[in-house]
Amino acid sequence: MENLFIDTLISQVRALDQFGTWANKADEDILKEKYVKSKEDLKNIPVIADIDEMQIQDIRLIYQAIALAFEKKTGIMCSVVMEMSHEGFGRAVVIAEKIVIVNKFFKDAHRYSFRTYEKLCEEGDKMLADAIKIYEEYKK
């Protein structure tokens, strides 16, 4: 099954694999490792903690994938703007022309995850569809 968001996200992740660490891993396994956390996994992550640069980059990749998928669908270039404090408070914004097409606030970004791989796919598809709808509504 082809999924533009997932294809774009995995291409972003694999592009950052400088040393071939994930070369023999399946796409789904890589994305599960990076983005899927069960309720049990979350119990082991403190509510208040600092976020590391790798986690910030992983979150940025989600929004870059939305931006690239949007560009592929519409031909309109996008920018991703992301601010994140060391405590995990921040915001990610995707902008197409002068229009904000995605706007996400974070209060505990170190816990940002999806319960299942299917939920990651579903949420990515929804963000992309919503971004396209927002853009089209504004351009009317």
Side-chain angles (χ1 to χ4, degrees), residues 12 16 21 24 37 45 48-49 52 65 75-76 79 91-92 99-100 114 117 121 128 130:
Q12 294 276 299
L16 294 174
T21 308
N24 296 323
K37 291 183 180 90
I45 300 172
I48 299 172
D52 66 33
I76 307 297
S79 298
R91 182 181 196 179
I99 306 162
V100 174
F114 301 87
Y117 176 76
C121 298
L128 178 57
D130 289 348

Side-chain angles (χ1 to χ4, degrees), residues 10 13-14 17 20-34:
I10 196 63
V13 171
R14 286 199 182 274
D17 184 20
T21 308
W22 302 316
N24 296 323
K25 278 194 171 184
D27 293 348
E28 185 173 330
D29 292 339
I30 293 169
L31 294 179
K32 281 180 180 177
E33 188 176 314
K34 286 190 155 304

Side-chain angles (χ1 to χ4, degrees), residues 9 13 16 22 33-35 37 51-64 82 112 114:
L9 179 59
V13 171
L16 294 174
W22 302 316
E33 188 176 314
K34 286 190 155 304
Y35 297 109
K37 291 183 180 90
I51 186 168
D52 66 33
E53 288 300 316
M54 187 63 85
Q55 288 173 305
I56 292 171
Q57 181 182 32
D58 288 345
I59 294 170
R60 179 183 294 279
L61 289 176
I62 294 271
Y63 295 93
Q64 283 180 192
M82 193 166 133
Y112 182 76
F114 301 87

